[in-house]
Amino acid sequence: MSEKEDLAKQKAEAAAKAKAVALARKQAKAEAAENPEGEIDLAKQKAAAAAKAKAAALARKQAKEVAAENPEGDMDAVKQKAAAAAKAKAAAAAKAKAAAAAKNRTAVQESEEVDTPSEISPNQSKLDQIVSAIERHVGQGALLENYINRLSKDVPTLVANPDTYFSIAKFLRYDEQLDFSYLSELHGTDFESHMEIYVHLHSFKMNQSVALKVKLDRDTPVIPSLVPLWSGANWPECEAYDLLGINFYEHPDLKRILLGEDWKGYPLRKDYEPYDVEV
């Protein structure tokens, strides 16, 4: 409602109120002359109530007339409603956009590590060299897959067949040209459909890192130990055995290192249920 409309409404109400008060005084005087003193107060109350009701009715009538003559107030209300609706619509659109972006990020995170960018990775030639050497010395079917992992500093990644996992690791360790003498990481992961071993190696001669992965059957996850090749695989393999139940045969001392030997189950498995639910 505009200031002009408010002022007009206030003037109308004030005029009606003054008129009603004058009328009430006049009626009270007339009734006081006709009624005895005991009835004067009652007459005044009735007159005042009648005058107040009449003033309120007159004020409503005048307000309606002012509103009819000045439709700007209605237009303001319409504009306010439209603005509120537009604001609500924008908020809903922003919320939907944020939800879509979050869903897209989740999809990217859960997707395979393989990336197919338009630019060739600077490590592609190193990967080609390593794969070619493995295929020559270990066999054409030794690797199930190989790719550049864009999500991990473009590290060349080798996915080994479980039957050739140890042979590939041995070749990477002792080949004079490759010489991956340093094992920096080994861990296991439960993907529900399968178990996976991830090994990160580094060659100081090539100044290059490589990742070696192998997928295992989840019900019977068994794989050769890499301790005969890298002594640094000792405790990481014990940890994977302790928390995931992956068995590394020919390990020199495979045992639980975080949990007791009487612990039930493997806490890093997705379907793990505590033996003692109160713990």
Side-chain angles (χ1 to χ4, degrees), residues 153-207:
K153 299 181 180 179
D154 279 22
V155 63
T157 302
L158 310 170
V159 182
N161 187 313
D163 295 334
T164 58
Y165 167 71
F166 186 81
S167 299
I168 292 173
K170 186 176 180 179
F171 176 74
L172 293 173
R173 172 67 180 87
Y174 293 116
D175 181 77
E176 294 183 357
Q177 299 299 320
L178 303 181
D179 192 25
F180 285 93
S181 59
Y182 178 57
L183 184 148
S184 61
E185 181 183 358
L186 185 152
H187 68 260
T189 306
D190 180 9
F191 285 92
E192 295 187 284
S193 59
H194 65 279
M195 293 285 185
E196 183 176 281
I197 295 295
Y198 178 97
V199 183
H200 195 273
L201 305 171
H202 186 77
S203 169
F204 294 101
K205 179 179 288 188
M206 295 180 67
N207 190 27

Coordinates of all heavy atoms in Angstrom, one line a residue, residues 153-207:
K153 N 48.2 -38.7 -9.7 CA 49.4 -38.1 -10.3 C 49.9 -38.8 -11.5 O 51.1 -39.0 -11.7 CB 50.5 -38.1 -9.2 CG 50.1 -37.3 -8.0 CD 51.3 -37.3 -6.9 CE 50.9 -36.4 -5.7 NZ 51.9 -36.5 -4.7
D154 N 48.9 -39.3 -12.3 CA 49.3 -40.0 -13.6 C 50.2 -41.2 -13.4 O 51.0 -41.5 -14.2 CB 49.9 -39.0 -14.5 CG 48.9 -38.1 -15.3 OD1 47.8 -37.9 -14.8 OD2 49.3 -37.6 -16.3
V155 N 50.0 -41.9 -12.3 CA 50.8 -43.1 -12.1 C 50.4 -44.2 -13.0 O 49.3 -44.5 -13.2 CB 50.8 -43.6 -10.6 CG1 49.3 -44.0 -10.3 CG2 51.7 -44.7 -10.4
P156 N 51.4 -44.8 -13.7 CA 51.1 -46.0 -14.6 C 50.6 -47.1 -13.7 O 51.2 -47.4 -12.7 CB 52.4 -46.4 -15.2 CG 53.2 -45.1 -15.2 CD 52.8 -44.4 -13.9
T157 N 49.5 -47.7 -14.1 CA 48.8 -48.7 -13.3 C 48.7 -50.0 -14.0 O 48.2 -50.0 -15.2 CB 47.4 -48.2 -12.8 OG1 47.6 -47.0 -12.1 CG2 46.7 -49.2 -11.9
L158 N 49.1 -51.1 -13.4 CA 49.0 -52.5 -14.0 C 48.1 -53.3 -13.2 O 48.2 -53.4 -11.9 CB 50.4 -53.1 -13.9 CG 51.6 -52.2 -14.4 CD1 52.9 -52.9 -14.1 CD2 51.5 -52.0 -15.9
V159 N 47.1 -54.0 -13.9 CA 46.2 -54.9 -13.2 C 46.6 -56.3 -13.6 O 46.5 -56.7 -14.8 CB 44.7 -54.6 -13.6 CG1 43.8 -55.5 -12.9 CG2 44.4 -53.1 -13.3
A160 N 47.1 -57.0 -12.6 CA 47.6 -58.4 -12.9 C 46.6 -59.5 -12.8 O 45.6 -59.3 -12.0 CB 48.8 -58.7 -11.9
N161 N 46.8 -60.5 -13.6 CA 46.1 -61.7 -13.4 C 46.5 -62.4 -12.1 O 47.7 -62.4 -11.8 CB 46.3 -62.7 -14.6 CG 45.5 -63.9 -14.5 OD1 45.3 -64.6 -13.5 ND2 44.9 -64.2 -15.7
P162 N 45.6 -62.9 -11.2 CA 46.1 -63.5 -9.9 C 47.1 -64.6 -10.1 O 48.0 -64.7 -9.3 CB 44.8 -64.1 -9.4 CG 43.7 -63.3 -9.9 CD 44.1 -62.9 -11.3
D163 N 47.1 -65.3 -11.2 CA 48.1 -66.3 -11.5 C 49.4 -65.8 -11.8 O 50.5 -66.5 -11.7 CB 47.6 -67.3 -12.6 CG 46.3 -68.0 -12.2 OD1 46.1 -68.2 -11.0 OD2 45.6 -68.4 -13.1
T164 N 49.5 -64.5 -12.3 CA 50.8 -64.0 -12.7 C 51.2 -62.8 -11.9 O 52.2 -62.1 -12.1 CB 50.7 -63.5 -14.2 OG1 49.6 -62.5 -14.3 CG2 50.4 -64.6 -15.2
Y165 N 50.5 -62.5 -10.8 CA 50.7 -61.4 -9.9 C 52.2 -61.5 -9.3 O 52.9 -60.5 -9.4 CB 49.7 -61.5 -8.7 CG 50.0 -60.6 -7.5 CD1 49.9 -59.2 -7.6 CD2 50.4 -61.2 -6.3 CE1 50.2 -58.4 -6.5 CE2 50.6 -60.4 -5.2 CZ 50.5 -59.0 -5.3 OH 50.8 -58.2 -4.2
F166 N 52.6 -62.6 -8.8 CA 53.9 -62.7 -8.2 C 55.0 -62.6 -9.3 O 56.0 -62.0 -9.1 CB 54.0 -64.0 -7.4 CG 55.3 -64.1 -6.7 CD1 55.5 -63.5 -5.5 CD2 56.4 -64.9 -7.2 CE1 56.7 -63.6 -4.8 CE2 57.6 -65.0 -6.6 CZ 57.8 -64.3 -5.3
S167 N 54.7 -63.3 -10.5 CA 55.7 -63.2 -11.5 C 56.0 -61.8 -12.0 O 57.1 -61.4 -12.3 CB 55.2 -64.1 -12.7 OG 55.1 -65.5 -12.3
I168 N 54.9 -61.0 -12.2 CA 55.0 -59.7 -12.6 C 55.8 -58.8 -11.6 O 56.7 -58.1 -11.9 CB 53.6 -59.0 -12.9 CG1 53.0 -59.7 -14.1 CG2 53.7 -57.5 -13.1 CD1 51.5 -59.3 -14.3
A169 N 55.4 -59.0 -10.3 CA 56.1 -58.3 -9.2 C 57.6 -58.7 -9.2 O 58.4 -57.8 -9.0 CB 55.5 -58.7 -7.9
K170 N 57.9 -59.9 -9.4 CA 59.3 -60.3 -9.4 C 60.1 -59.7 -10.6 O 61.2 -59.3 -10.4 CB 59.4 -61.9 -9.5 CG 60.8 -62.4 -9.3 CD 60.8 -64.0 -9.3 CE 62.2 -64.5 -9.2 NZ 62.1 -66.0 -9.2
F171 N 59.4 -59.7 -11.7 CA 60.1 -59.1 -12.9 C 60.3 -57.6 -12.6 O 61.4 -57.0 -12.9 CB 59.2 -59.3 -14.1 CG 59.7 -58.6 -15.3 CD1 60.8 -59.1 -16.0 CD2 59.1 -57.4 -15.8 CE1 61.3 -58.5 -17.1 CE2 59.6 -56.8 -17.0 CZ 60.8 -57.3 -17.6
L172 N 59.3 -56.9 -12.1 CA 59.5 -55.4 -11.8 C 60.6 -55.2 -10.8 O 61.3 -54.2 -10.9 CB 58.2 -54.9 -11.2 CG 57.0 -54.8 -12.2 CD1 55.7 -54.4 -11.4 CD2 57.2 -53.9 -13.4
R173 N 60.7 -56.1 -9.9 CA 61.8 -56.0 -8.8 C 63.2 -56.2 -9.3 O 64.1 -55.4 -9.0 CB 61.5 -57.0 -7.7 CG 62.6 -57.1 -6.6 CD 62.7 -55.7 -5.8 NE 63.7 -55.8 -4.8 CZ 65.0 -55.5 -5.0 NH1 65.4 -55.2 -6.2 NH2 65.8 -55.6 -4.0
Y174 N 63.4 -57.2 -10.2 CA 64.8 -57.6 -10.5 C 65.2 -57.3 -11.9 O 66.4 -57.5 -12.3 CB 64.9 -59.1 -10.3 CG 64.9 -59.5 -8.8 CD1 63.8 -60.3 -8.3 CD2 65.8 -59.0 -7.9 CE1 63.8 -60.6 -6.9 CE2 65.7 -59.3 -6.6 CZ 64.7 -60.1 -6.1 OH 64.6 -60.4 -4.7
D175 N 64.3 -56.8 -12.8 CA 64.7 -56.4 -14.1 C 65.7 -55.3 -14.0 O 65.4 -54.3 -13.4 CB 63.5 -56.0 -15.0 CG 63.9 -55.7 -16.4 OD1 64.2 -56.6 -17.2 OD2 64.0 -54.5 -16.7
E176 N 66.8 -55.4 -14.7 CA 67.9 -54.4 -14.6 C 67.4 -53.0 -15.2 O 67.9 -52.0 -14.7 CB 69.1 -54.9 -15.3 CG 69.8 -56.1 -14.7 CD 71.1 -56.5 -15.4 OE1 71.4 -55.8 -16.4 OE2 71.7 -57.4 -14.9
Q177 N 66.6 -53.1 -16.2 CA 66.2 -51.8 -16.8 C 65.1 -51.1 -15.9 O 65.1 -49.9 -15.9 CB 65.6 -52.1 -18.2 CG 66.7 -52.6 -19.2 CD 67.9 -51.7 -19.3 OE1 67.7 -50.5 -19.4 NE2 69.0 -52.3 -19.4
L178 N 64.2 -51.9 -15.3 CA 63.1 -51.3 -14.6 C 63.6 -51.1 -13.1 O 63.4 -50.0 -12.6 CB 61.9 -52.3 -14.6 CG 61.4 -52.6 -16.0 CD1 60.2 -53.5 -15.9 CD2 61.0 -51.3 -16.8
D179 N 64.0 -52.1 -12.4 CA 64.6 -52.0 -11.1 C 63.6 -51.2 -10.1 O 64.0 -50.2 -9.5 CB 65.9 -51.3 -11.1 CG 66.7 -51.4 -9.8 OD1 66.4 -52.4 -9.1 OD2 67.5 -50.5 -9.6
F180 N 62.4 -51.8 -9.9 CA 61.5 -51.2 -8.9 C 61.9 -51.8 -7.5 O 61.2 -52.7 -7.1 CB 60.0 -51.5 -9.3 CG 59.5 -50.6 -10.4 CD1 59.6 -51.1 -11.7 CD2 59.0 -49.4 -10.2 CE1 59.1 -50.3 -12.8 CE2 58.6 -48.6 -11.2 CZ 58.6 -49.0 -12.5
S181 N 62.9 -51.2 -6.9 CA 63.5 -51.7 -5.7 C 62.8 -51.3 -4.4 O 63.0 -51.8 -3.4 CB 64.9 -51.4 -5.6 OG 65.1 -49.9 -5.6
Y182 N 61.9 -50.3 -4.5 CA 61.3 -49.7 -3.3 C 59.8 -49.9 -3.3 O 59.1 -49.5 -4.2 CB 61.6 -48.3 -3.2 CG 61.0 -47.6 -2.0 CD1 61.3 -48.0 -0.7 CD2 60.2 -46.4 -2.2 CE1 60.7 -47.4 0.4 CE2 59.7 -45.8 -1.1 CZ 59.9 -46.3 0.2 OH 59.4 -45.6 1.3
L183 N 59.3 -50.6 -2.3 CA 57.8 -50.8 -2.1 C 57.4 -49.7 -1.1 O 57.8 -49.8 0.1 CB 57.5 -52.2 -1.6 CG 56.0 -52.5 -1.4 CD1 55.8 -54.0 -1.7 CD2 55.5 -52.2 0.0
S184 N 56.6 -48.8 -1.5 CA 56.2 -47.7 -0.6 C 54.9 -47.9 0.0 O 54.5 -47.3 1.1 CB 56.2 -46.3 -1.3 OG 55.3 -46.4 -2.4
E185 N 54.0 -48.8 -0.6 CA 52.7 -48.9 0.0 C 52.1 -50.3 -0.5 O 52.3 -50.7 -1.6 CB 51.8 -47.8 -0.5 CG 50.4 -47.9 0.1 CD 49.5 -46.8 -0.5 OE1 49.9 -45.9 -1.2 OE2 48.3 -46.8 -0.1
L186 N 51.3 -50.9 0.4 CA 50.6 -52.1 0.1 C 49.4 -52.1 1.0 O 49.5 -52.0 2.2 CB 51.4 -53.4 0.3 CG 50.8 -54.7 -0.1 CD1 51.8 -55.7 -0.5 CD2 49.8 -55.3 0.9
H187 N 48.2 -52.2 0.4 CA 47.0 -52.3 1.2 C 45.9 -53.0 0.5 O 45.9 -53.2 -0.7 CB 46.4 -50.9 1.6 CG 45.9 -50.1 0.4 ND1 46.7 -49.1 -0.2 CD2 44.7 -50.1 -0.2 CE1 46.0 -48.6 -1.2 NE2 44.8 -49.2 -1.2
G188 N 44.9 -53.5 1.2 CA 43.8 -54.2 0.7 C 42.5 -53.4 0.8 O 42.4 -52.6 1.6
T189 N 41.5 -53.7 -0.1 CA 40.2 -53.0 -0.1 C 39.1 -54.0 -0.4 O 39.3 -54.9 -1.2 CB 40.2 -51.9 -1.1 OG1 41.3 -51.0 -0.9 CG2 38.9 -51.1 -1.0
D190 N 38.0 -53.9 0.3 CA 36.9 -54.7 0.1 C 35.9 -53.9 -0.8 O 35.4 -52.9 -0.4 CB 36.2 -55.1 1.4 CG 34.9 -55.9 1.2 OD1 34.7 -56.4 0.0 OD2 34.2 -56.2 2.2
F191 N 35.7 -54.4 -2.0 CA 34.7 -53.8 -3.0 C 33.4 -54.5 -3.0 O 32.6 -54.3 -3.9 CB 35.3 -53.7 -4.4 CG 36.4 -52.7 -4.5 CD1 37.7 -53.0 -4.3 CD2 36.1 -51.3 -4.8 CE1 38.7 -52.0 -4.5 CE2 37.1 -50.4 -5.0 CZ 38.4 -50.7 -4.8
E192 N 33.2 -55.3 -2.0 CA 31.9 -56.1 -1.9 C 31.8 -57.2 -3.0 O 31.5 -58.4 -2.7 CB 30.7 -55.2 -1.9 CG 30.6 -54.3 -0.7 CD 29.3 -53.6 -0.6 OE1 29.1 -52.6 -1.4 OE2 28.5 -53.9 0.2
S193 N 32.1 -56.8 -4.2 CA 32.1 -57.9 -5.3 C 33.4 -58.7 -5.3 O 33.4 -59.8 -5.8 CB 31.8 -57.2 -6.7 OG 32.8 -56.3 -6.9
H194 N 34.4 -58.1 -4.8 CA 35.8 -58.7 -4.8 C 36.7 -58.0 -3.8 O 36.4 -56.9 -3.4 CB 36.4 -58.7 -6.2 CG 36.7 -57.3 -6.7 ND1 35.7 -56.5 -7.3 CD2 37.8 -56.5 -6.7 CE1 36.2 -55.3 -7.6 NE2 37.5 -55.3 -7.3
M195 N 37.8 -58.6 -3.5 CA 38.9 -57.9 -2.8 C 39.9 -57.5 -3.8 O 40.0 -58.0 -4.9 CB 39.5 -58.9 -1.8 CG 38.6 -59.4 -0.7 SD 38.4 -58.1 0.6 CE 37.4 -59.0 1.8
E196 N 40.7 -56.5 -3.3 CA 41.8 -56.0 -4.2 C 43.0 -55.6 -3.4 O 42.9 -55.1 -2.3 CB 41.3 -54.7 -4.9 CG 42.3 -54.1 -5.9 CD 41.7 -53.0 -6.7 OE1 40.9 -53.2 -7.7 OE2 42.0 -51.8 -6.4
I197 N 44.2 -56.0 -3.9 CA 45.4 -55.6 -3.4 C 46.0 -54.5 -4.2 O 46.1 -54.7 -5.5 CB 46.4 -56.8 -3.3 CG1 45.9 -57.9 -2.3 CG2 47.8 -56.4 -2.8 CD1 45.8 -57.4 -0.9
Y198 N 46.5 -53.4 -3.6 CA 47.1 -52.3 -4.3 C 48.6 -52.2 -3.8 O 48.8 -52.1 -2.6 CB 46.4 -51.0 -4.0 CG 46.9 -49.8 -4.7 CD1 46.5 -49.4 -5.9 CD2 48.0 -49.1 -4.1 CE1 47.0 -48.2 -6.5 CE2 48.5 -48.0 -4.6 CZ 48.0 -47.5 -5.9 OH 48.6 -46.4 -6.4
V199 N 49.5 -52.2 -4.7 CA 50.9 -52.1 -4.4 C 51.5 -50.9 -5.1 O 51.4 -50.8 -6.3 CB 51.7 -53.4 -4.7 CG1 53.2 -53.3 -4.3 CG2 51.0 -54.6 -4.1
H200 N 52.2 -50.1 -4.4 CA 52.8 -48.9 -5.0 C 54.4 -49.1 -5.0 O 54.9 -49.3 -3.9 CB 52.5 -47.6 -4.3 CG 52.8 -46.4 -5.1 ND1 54.0 -45.8 -5.0 CD2 52.0 -45.6 -5.9 CE1 54.0 -44.7 -5.8 NE2 52.8 -44.6 -6.4
L201 N 55.0 -49.1 -6.1 CA 56.4 -49.3 -6.3 C 57.1 -48.1 -6.9 O 56.5 -47.3 -7.6 CB 56.7 -50.6 -7.1 CG 56.0 -51.9 -6.7 CD1 56.2 -52.9 -7.8 CD2 56.5 -52.4 -5.4
H202 N 58.4 -48.0 -6.6 CA 59.2 -46.9 -7.2 C 60.6 -47.4 -7.7 O 61.2 -48.2 -7.0 CB 59.4 -45.8 -6.2 CG 60.1 -44.6 -6.8 ND1 59.4 -43.7 -7.5 CD2 61.3 -44.1 -6.7 CE1 60.2 -42.7 -7.9 NE2 61.4 -43.0 -7.4
S203 N 60.9 -46.9 -8.8 CA 62.3 -47.2 -9.4 C 63.1 -45.9 -9.4 O 62.8 -44.9 -10.0 CB 62.1 -47.7 -10.8 OG 63.4 -47.8 -11.5
F204 N 64.2 -46.0 -8.6 CA 65.1 -44.8 -8.6 C 65.9 -44.7 -9.9 O 66.3 -43.6 -10.3 CB 66.0 -44.9 -7.4 CG 65.3 -44.9 -6.1 CD1 65.0 -46.0 -5.3 CD2 64.9 -43.6 -5.5 CE1 64.3 -45.9 -4.1 CE2 64.3 -43.6 -4.3 CZ 64.0 -44.7 -3.6
K205 N 66.1 -45.8 -10.5 CA 66.8 -45.8 -11.8 C 66.0 -45.1 -12.9 O 66.6 -44.3 -13.6 CB 67.2 -47.2 -12.2 CG 67.9 -47.3 -13.5 CD 68.3 -48.8 -13.9 CE 69.4 -49.3 -13.0 NZ 69.9 -50.6 -13.4
M206 N 64.7 -45.4 -12.9 CA 63.9 -44.8 -13.9 C 63.3 -43.5 -13.4 O 62.7 -42.7 -14.2 CB 62.7 -45.8 -14.3 CG 63.1 -47.0 -15.0 SD 61.6 -48.0 -15.3 CE 60.8 -47.0 -16.5
N207 N 63.4 -43.2 -12.1 CA 62.7 -42.1 -11.5 C 61.3 -42.1 -11.8 O 60.7 -41.1 -12.3 CB 63.4 -40.8 -12.0 CG 62.9 -39.6 -11.2 OD1 62.5 -39.7 -10.0 ND2 62.8 -38.4 -11.8

